[in-house]
Amino acid sequence: APNNSRTAGLAERYIREALGRWEPRIELEQVSVAPDPQNQARLLASVTYRIKATLSSRSLVYPFYLIPEE
């Protein structure tokens, strides 16, 4: 997929859906996905969540590599 706002929006949606379905131990606070300014073939997904059992907040940044168009 091209590295544009549509791809970032889809990635954000899929992250929200997956965490909502498969990770019941957390309360999702924020998900943001944006192109990596250092590498145009990569999106950076940032997830902020709260662990329900402890109410502890955590953040995670995950690089997602895109396959270039042919």
Side-chain angles (χ1 to χ4, degrees):
N3 194 353
N4 59 27
S5 60
R6 183 173 187 273
T7 301
L10 286 172
E12 181 178 329
R13 177 179 153 207
Y14 296 147
I15 291 167
R16 287 181 181 279
E17 288 176 358
L19 289 174
R21 181 173 182 170
W22 299 108
E23 189 46 87
R25 298 170 295 177
I26 66 168
E27 181 179 318
L28 198 55
E29 293 182 347
Q30 182 179 2
V31 176
S32 63
V33 179
D36 183 348
Q38 304 297 320
N39 184 344
Q40 288 301 312
R42 184 167 61 183
L43 290 171
L44 295 178
S46 175
V47 178
T48 303
Y49 60 93
R50 177 170 294 144
I51 299 171
K52 290 179 180 179
T54 64
L55 300 178
S56 176
S57 288
R58 307 279 171 91
S59 292
L60 171 69
V61 176
Y62 182 81
F64 180 80
Y65 291 89
L66 301 170
I67 298 172
E69 292 183 72
E70 293 184 39

